[in-house]
Amino acid sequence: MFKISDYIKVNNRPETYTYFILLVFLILLALGNFDRYPIIGQLSLANNFEDFKILYPNLNFDTAYGSSEYFPGVSYIIYFFKLFIPDIILLEILLIFSILIMLFFFSLIKKIINEIYPNSINFENYWLLASIITLWLCRDWLFYVITLKSDILAFSLIFYAFLLAKPHLLNERKNYTKLFFGLLLIAYAITVKQQAIFILIAVSIYSLLNKNLFFKFYSFLIFLISLGIFYIFYKDANLWFQTVYVMSQDGFLSLKEILRIFYVDLISVLLFTIFLAFSSYHKLCFIDFNEKLIFLKKNLRSNIWFY
């Protein structure tokens, strides 16, 4: 049975108040973003399917219909929600759902850190630190995530698939039900966001660097599933035009444009790095960064999470 206490450890009343205030803040922030394109685009796809039995508008239609530049995976969830949630509160439910996805993502990151550094990290203040780092360094990311951004859902599903199935572990007894379910999660993740296809690069590098025949076979299945999904989407001219062709016309940003857009984020990262160095020097935090770096280098090839 799911218990929130399994994911968020609260040891005293001030922490309880802090997490409650943060949750209320996130909900209020999310409910103020009805007009954001990630959620509205996917909602329009679900509406298209409900009304016309197509997801993406036909290019030959005289009347304009809503669309999205992302793959339609999230619209499947919205269409399912529409079956039993009234339209009058659907957006509110979806925005709260996006907050739950974000919390799910952070719980997965916690598990991944524990796999990278087994039994060597104290997670007592994990959620408090995650909140501080997110509000300090990742405010723009947070603004997108709470509007049902496809990226966070896609990569959360991929992370969960590997945490669940563990196809990369040589000495782990294989649970074929979990392995199959992991493939389903990865397949669905690819339907959610185009960038999820980059998992093929990660599993390819890991397969080449490690003598794990089972993982090579599992990677081959991921390749087949991914190519099959892309082929199905390619055969849908309207979907491919809206999600691949249109996006491919954006081009790449120059270094000057990147600095102009993200200079505030770069300054925030620099300030946070100085803060960590200051805290370590004055022993405000007990983190041996040199030891962690040596461990990372030593286990770079064998740990799949690096890829």
Side-chain angles (χ1 to χ4, degrees), residues 160-174:
Y160 183 66
F162 278 90
L163 285 168
L164 177 71
K166 303 184 184 302
H168 53 288
L169 297 183
L170 283 170
N171 299 323
E172 188 83 10
R173 184 177 179 181
K174 304 305 180 192

Side-chain angles (χ1 to χ4, degrees), residues 271-285:
L271 290 175
F272 184 71
T273 304
I274 294 173
F275 168 75
L276 285 179
F278 177 85
S279 300
S280 178
Y281 179 77
H282 291 281
K283 302 187 184 306
L284 299 177
C285 63

